[in-house]
Amino acid sequence: MQSKEDAIKAQGQYVLRNTNLGFLEDRYEGKVRDTYRGKKLRYLITTDRISCFDVVLGAVPFKGQVLNQLAEFWFDKTANLVENHVVACPDPNVMAVREVEILPIEVVVRAYLAGSAWRDYEAGRPISGITLPKGMRKHQRLEQVVVTPSTKAERGLHDEPISESALLERELVSPEIWEEVKEKALKLFSFATEEVASRGLLLVDTKYEFGLLDGKVVLADEIHTLDSSRYWVEDSYSERFHSGQDPQMLDKEPVRQWLIARGFMGQGEPPALPEEYISELSLHYMSAFEKISGQSFLPIVGDSESRIANNIREFEEAFS
Ligand SMILES: Nc1ncnc2c1ncn2[C@@H]1O[C@H](COP(=O)(O)OP(=O)(O)O)[C@@H](O)[C@H]1O
Ligand SMILES: [Mg+2]
């Protein structure tokens, strides 16, 4: 069998930057995924693009496969807990989903003070309207898990945290739907927290998107992927926290820090990712998949764009 390093080298020429599937409708290019509408379903194609601070930095071999298969893993595990949009995964990079009306909020759930929540706290701002106790430290565990919603920004704009009361006042969602969304988000979060604890990991925070399907609230988008969630290594967390060190991180926070160290925080031109760093990231993503899911990751080398087109075409014909 080919080593992961060999697979990364071989995949260099096929790295999936974008797709152009002329036989589908309504192409939308997000930061990381390309989506299209078929006759009955929507297709979410996870590319190898990597984005940070809402800016696309480049492409990392197999990142798309890792993220899509991680989402597939979690959608599958939680399907009987919360209804979701998945119909099938016709390709390692593709999810065929029911088209839903995405609610205009990002539902963020947090168990630790990290990322933008820490940056807000440090600056003395409440976190989506929630005031945390004084004297907390970076990466500290919260007394209890909190839901900190953000608005879902229009294309090209940054998402903004919003308080629960402002969200209801602006009628982004009805109070009933908000209660239901919160309950579902907390259920998913607590399930995944337990699941990864058995593999020595902490689920730090995550972002969910929900949608309406025939008036029903269903989980959409991605779930517990390395783009939507932070995961830390549990056994070194306490020691590192007490000595003021960052935890060992499986998510893309190290990339954010790599950028910040080079003076980039989302404004202007991002620095180019060197080849070696890209290979390192690729290995990191594959190994994170294995740690989180407890399954081995089998990178599929080859022309992923043609493979994806063929698999979707075949699936679309059989489905409609
Ligand atoms: N079931 C669904 N129906 C319709 N749209 C969806 C569904 N699931 C996810 N989406 C949307 O597909 C897009 C996925 O692409 P992504 O790269 O995440 O884009 P963005 O840069 O807008 O976050 C998002 O806009 C997401 O809201
Ligand atoms: Mg997104």
Side-chain angles (χ1 to χ4, degrees):
M1 216 184 80
Q2 213 178 16
S3 74
K4 292 200 168 79
E5 286 82 357
D6 289 344
I8 295 169
K9 254 189 219 135
Q11 196 61 9
Q13 59 169 317
Y14 297 119
V15 68
L16 188 66
R17 285 173 217 281
N18 38 53
T19 62
N20 222 321
L21 305 182
F23 61 96
L24 296 172
E25 309 280 312
D26 208 14
R27 179 176 186 279
Y28 166 76
E29 184 174 320
K31 286 175 296 277
V32 169
R33 284 166 295 165
D34 290 352
T35 97
Y36 299 83
R37 201 164 36 79
K39 287 203 185 69
K40 292 188 178 142
L41 301 177
R42 178 163 283 278
Y43 294 94
L44 299 180
I45 304 171
T46 311
T47 69
D48 291 330
R49 295 194 292 272
I50 178 166
S51 91
C52 253
F53 301 117
D54 289 340
V55 177
V56 177
L57 305 170
V60 174
F62 305 116
K63 174 175 179 277
Q65 189 192 333
V66 164
L67 263 75
N68 190 61
Q69 291 188 329
L70 203 49
E72 183 183 6
F73 169 82
W74 283 116
F75 273 127
D76 200 46
K77 285 246 167 207
T78 58
N80 50 17
L81 206 61
V82 172
E83 193 181 341
N84 67 57
H85 66 163
V86 179
V87 174
C89 288
D91 179 275
N93 285 67
V94 181
M95 229 166 245
V97 303
R98 310 234 174 247
E99 178 92 44
V100 304
E101 193 192 316
I102 297 279
L103 299 175
I105 46 165
E106 311 225 310
V107 185
V108 181
V109 182
R110 304 175 184 275
Y112 293 81
L113 187 52
S116 66
W118 165 250
R119 289 192 281 274
D120 281 342
Y121 180 84
E122 202 185 14
R125 290 188 291 266
I127 324 293
S128 300
I130 298 172
T131 304
L132 294 174
K134 284 210 166 62
M136 287 190 72
R137 288 168 46 203
K138 186 180 186 184
H139 298 152
Q140 190 169 339
R141 193 193 165 100
L142 302 172
E143 285 284 317
Q144 60 176 47
V145 170
V146 293
V147 181
T148 57
S150 290
T151 56
K152 211 172 140 41
E154 293 293 316
R155 249 192 127 150
L157 297 175
H158 296 277
D159 303 326
E160 295 289 345
I162 186 169
S163 69
E164 184 166 16
S165 54
L167 174 163
L168 294 172
E169 213 164 282
R170 282 167 59 181
E171 298 183 0
L172 295 180
V173 293
S174 71
E176 296 73 31
I177 288 185
W178 175 239
E179 285 306 314
E180 193 178 338
V181 159
K182 263 198 304 190
E183 189 201 315
K184 287 186 155 71
L186 288 169
K187 246 199 218 170
L188 291 166
F189 193 83
S190 115
F191 173 84
T193 298
E194 265 185 45
E195 173 83 20
V196 299
S198 70
R199 285 189 280 279
L201 299 176
L202 303 171
L203 180 60
V204 176
D205 52 38
T206 196
K207 179 222 58 167
Y208 303 104
E209 288 182 32
F210 290 88
L212 295 178
L213 181 67
D214 307 324
K216 254 189 326 189
V217 175
V218 297
L219 177 65
D221 205 48
E222 59 189 326
I223 169 175
H224 306 153
T225 70
L226 295 155
D227 274 355
S228 66
S229 322
R230 287 191 174 80
Y231 291 93
W232 295 341
V233 174
E234 201 256 323
D235 72 355
S236 57
Y237 167 75
S238 284
E239 204 190 305
R240 284 172 166 245
F241 176 72
H242 289 296
S243 63
Q245 269 180 292
D246 282 345
Q248 283 173 270
M249 302 166 171
L250 267 62
D251 48 79
K252 66 182 182 185
E253 185 65 27
V255 185
R256 287 190 197 97
Q257 294 183 356
W258 187 92
L259 292 167
I260 293 172
R262 283 157 186 80
F264 182 78
M265 278 192 77
Q267 310 300 322
E269 264 303 293
L273 303 179
E275 191 101 8
E276 261 160 56
Y277 187 50
I278 291 181
S279 304
E280 223 176 273
L281 284 175
S282 179
L283 266 184
H284 172 85
Y285 275 105
M286 291 194 248
S287 114
F289 174 92
E290 299 189 331
K291 287 180 186 145
I292 294 165
S293 69
Q295 298 175 356
S296 13
F297 180 75
L298 304 172
I300 299 181
V301 175
D303 179 353
S304 43
E305 199 178 344
S306 312
R307 187 199 68 214
I308 287 168
N310 289 335
N311 281 335
I312 296 185
R313 199 182 277 113
E314 224 169 79
F315 180 82
E316 177 72 0
E317 271 163 27
F319 200 84
S320 39

